[in-house]
Amino acid sequence: MLVLGIETSCDETAAAVVDESYAVHSNVIYSQQDHARYGGVVPELASRAHMRTLVPVVRKAMEDAGVDWTHIDGVAVTRGPGLVGALLVGLSLAKGLAMAQGKPLIGVHHLEGHVFSNLVEQQVEVPFLTLLVSGGHTELILVEELGSYQLLGRTRDDAAGEAFDKVAKLLELLPREGVVMGGRIIAELAERGDAKAIGFPRPLSGETDFSFSGLKTAVLNYVRKLDLQERDRQLVDIAASFQEAVVDTLVDKTILALQQTDVRAVCLAGGVAANKRLRHRLRDEIERRDIPFYCPSPVLCTDNAVMIGAVGTFYLNRGVRDDFALDVAPRLSLC
Amino acid sequence: MERTLTTHSAAETQALGAELGLSLAPGELVAFYGDLGSGKTCMIQGLCEALEVADYVTSPTFMLINEYTGRLRGQDLSIYHFDLYRLQGPDELEDLGAEEYFYGRGVCLVEWAERAGGFLPEGCREVWMEYVGDDERRIILRGGEVSK
């Protein structure tokens, strides 16, 4: 069985062809560069870029896989959560293709896609825990079995990736040409800094919910007391200490959730999973407890259509499909 | 009318938000002005708590608009939380269909109102927030009957 997956929830235009063992037959991602000079994703620009690039991206995904429509058994598409205009571009094309080619349509939850991103390269035993961290999400998801989820923790204000972006902005590191995500800039600086230099707060200790807004303000308070020269001198230490506070928070809450459940594995997913410090620290802490830890290759950490196609094959195999009245759900929750 | 005050903690900012929330009427819009870290979200959290919003008041990253259900003086109330930080210009608000919210029956809370240009309804409430020190924020409230 082959499924065409389509993902347009934010600023990645992606299409992929996947089979029922989640093997990747093609994976095409176009990362929009239109947002760099604004220092963040601009919704209207995202929709327009999806409009421009989605058809060629889908065409390339089918070419790379060496398939035509006779081989495709279904079309899976992200229906939420995400930017409403961006989601609509993907869903409208998916509906049109499914209708014209007489193929089943499967609407996919973006977060369920990230859960599946860890199943593409290896098998993971259920029940497992997924820490999903990206620009728009910070969630601890208990996967009791595939298709059955429990939300153990989520952010009460900013997502982790958003905290990286906002801190990059207040340190005046964004906007920078060619870079949308503040996380990358902070991580680069942090490598040269002392993570213990400044004691930024670790909010909501002892709970599985997250909060990053107070941490952002703590960085702001610290930076306001420095003149420009001093700020530049301390920049690497500020970046390292801030990153460490975020990583500590993510690790501690994952361990706390681990202690409250009886899971067989822990998975990391989402764009922030590309952060080396986070991967390293989390792997250490989990494996120290004799529990397997998984994290997908970078290309499957960021938004992609492989994970959407994988979820699509899972449901299509179980006879689940959507009708053409399917609508986008920008604030969809997983459970 | 205009009132200027200073809060000395996040809790005080939230309490002021609560007071503001309870003074609102359905259909009103509050425009929040102020830089990153000036306390806008904090104040809105207090405001929403006073209006019995059960959901977390998170940053409206994807949607630009978060919708909550609250209660005001025994009546159900829709609350629309806007964050215009990522907006390019006021004309994008038109594309978003913001007018329907701004002139609707719910309460609108608009962060980064600077970006809305002349698009906000005339005579709406304004909250200007400014960082003074670690926990200190100067807050100017304009419009409506904020003080009793």
Side-chain angles (χ1 to χ4, degrees), chain B residues 29-107:
Chain B
L29 183 145
V30 189
F32 291 83
Y33 300 86
D35 220 337
L36 216 58
S38 63
K40 300 181 294 296
T41 304
C42 180
M43 188 154 171
I44 287 177
Q45 282 173 336
L47 193 159
C48 287
E49 202 183 328
L51 297 182
E52 300 176 44
V53 173
D55 204 359
Y56 291 154
V57 174
T58 56
S59 169
T61 322
F62 282 136
M63 289 289 295
L64 292 178
I65 310 164
N66 276 352
E67 188 179 340
Y68 316 113
T69 306
R71 279 179 82 74
L72 178 63
R73 293 183 275 278
Q75 300 285 319
D76 279 348
L77 178 75
S78 289
I79 300 162
Y80 304 102
H81 178 194
F82 289 73
D83 185 340
L84 307 186
Y85 187 71
R86 291 169 195 280
L87 214 64
Q88 263 183 290
D91 47 326
E92 262 195 57
L93 269 178
E94 212 167 339
D95 298 338
L96 269 173
E99 269 184 318
E100 281 180 47
Y101 296 99
F102 289 178
Y103 296 95
R105 273 175 292 186
V107 160

Side-chain angles (χ1 to χ4, degrees), chain A residues 9 78-83 87 109-111 137 329-333, chain B residues 62:
Chain A
S9 65
T78 308
R79 63 181 294 246
L83 298 166
L87 290 166
H109 194 297
H110 183 78
L111 272 53
H137 305 283
R331 267 198 104 196
L332 197 60
S333 81
Chain B
F62 282 136

Side-chain angles (χ1 to χ4, degrees), chain A residues 9-10 37-45 48 81-84 134-137 154-159 162 165-167 169-170 209 213 216-217 220-222 224-225 330-331, chain B residues 35-39 41-42 45 54-68 83 85-88 91-92 95-96 111-112 115 130-137:
Chain A
S9 65
C10 194
R37 64 197 173 100
Y38 301 103
V41 177
V42 181
E44 183 57 27
L45 289 183
R48 281 186 223 159
L83 298 166
V84 62
S134 70
H137 305 283
R154 60 173 173 141
T155 182
R156 293 190 186 168
D157 37 58
D158 293 344
E162 200 171 9
D165 286 347
K166 285 182 176 171
V167 166
K169 260 171 228 155
L170 69 86
D209 269 346
S213 180
K216 169 200 74 193
T217 306
L220 181 72
N221 286 341
Y222 187 84
R224 291 244 186 178
K225 292 194 187 80
R331 267 198 104 196
Chain B
D35 220 337
L36 216 58
S38 63
T41 304
C42 180
Q45 282 173 336
D55 204 359
Y56 291 154
V57 174
T58 56
S59 169
T61 322
F62 282 136
M63 289 289 295
L64 292 178
I65 310 164
N66 276 352
E67 188 179 340
Y68 316 113
D83 185 340
Y85 187 71
R86 291 169 195 280
L87 214 64
Q88 263 183 290
D91 47 326
E92 262 195 57
D95 298 338
L96 269 173
E111 292 192 48
W112 292 95
R115 312 265 159 112
E130 194 191 342
Y131 175 100
V132 184
D134 272 12
D135 296 314
E136 252 180 77
R137 301 289 184 272

Side-chain angles (χ1 to χ4, degrees), chain A residues 176-193:
Chain A
R176 194 172 93 185
E177 202 57 49
V179 182
V180 183
M181 292 299 171
R184 219 172 79 199
I185 307 176
I186 300 271
E188 277 169 20
L189 289 170
E191 277 183 32
R192 291 181 277 130

